[in-house]
Amino acid sequence: ASNSVETCLLALCVVLVSSVPMLLVEVGLLRERGALLASLPGVALTCGVLYVLLLAATISEKCARVPGLINAVSFGVGTDRIRQHTVDYITSSAAGFYVFGMRLTTGMVLKFMYLWCIVAVGLLTELVSTDSGGRLTAF
């Protein structure tokens, strides 16, 4: 089951990586009112994939807070050593959402989003550039 989840998440990332430049090129080349409206399904798909990635990353963040939670709960007199062993076990197991052996964190997803925002801005500035006459031109 985990192999199929990893493969599906990888496929979603490939769709995301390929859809952002295609959407920008489509809007930049057509430059019509209808082009922006026609690209809304692609924008919705991109936002949905980013949301799924953020939800998967929050699993790792929640798992990182479990040892502190267990350490704060009192289970009665004489259970401190057992509780410490449990906290150590949870900490050393490094539970979280793993994709192909790499732990997916919120920081990784935010860096991914930041990188593609830079690519999008770069593509937009390349597509919508001004010539010497002050007119907007494509390429």
Side-chain angles (χ1 to χ4, degrees):
S2 70
N3 287 337
S4 60
V5 170
E6 288 176 339
T7 307
C8 288
L9 196 62
L10 179 67
L12 283 175
C13 287
V14 168
V15 166
L16 179 68
V17 166
S18 62
S19 68
V20 170
M22 284 190 252
L23 286 170
L24 293 173
V25 168
E26 179 184 4
V27 170
L29 289 179
L30 294 179
R31 291 190 190 182
E32 298 172 2
R33 283 189 106 159
L36 189 59
L37 187 60
S39 65
L40 283 180
V43 171
L45 174 73
T46 302
C47 291
V49 171
L50 288 174
Y51 182 69
V52 167
L53 285 175
L54 281 173
L55 284 178
T58 57
I59 293 172
S60 297
E61 303 299 324
K62 288 180 181 181
C63 290
R65 290 183 286 194
V66 170
L69 175 69
I70 290 176
N71 209 16
V73 175
S74 176
F75 294 106
V77 179
T79 59
D80 289 339
R81 187 171 182 180
I82 296 170
R83 181 178 59 198
Q84 184 60 39
H85 286 300
T86 305
V87 168
D88 289 339
Y89 176 75
I90 292 172
T91 303
S92 65
S93 70
F97 194 86
Y98 285 83
V99 179
F100 296 110
M102 183 180 288
R103 188 174 185 189
L104 185 65
T105 63
T106 307
M108 290 174 64
V109 174
L110 291 176
K111 287 177 188 176
F112 179 76
M113 290 169 57
Y114 180 72
L115 175 73
W116 278 106
C117 285
I118 291 172
V119 169
V121 167
L123 261 169
L124 276 176
T125 55
E126 185 67 30
L127 287 173
V128 182
S129 61
T130 57
D131 62 354
S132 60
R135 295 175 301 193
L136 292 176
T137 59
F139 301 108

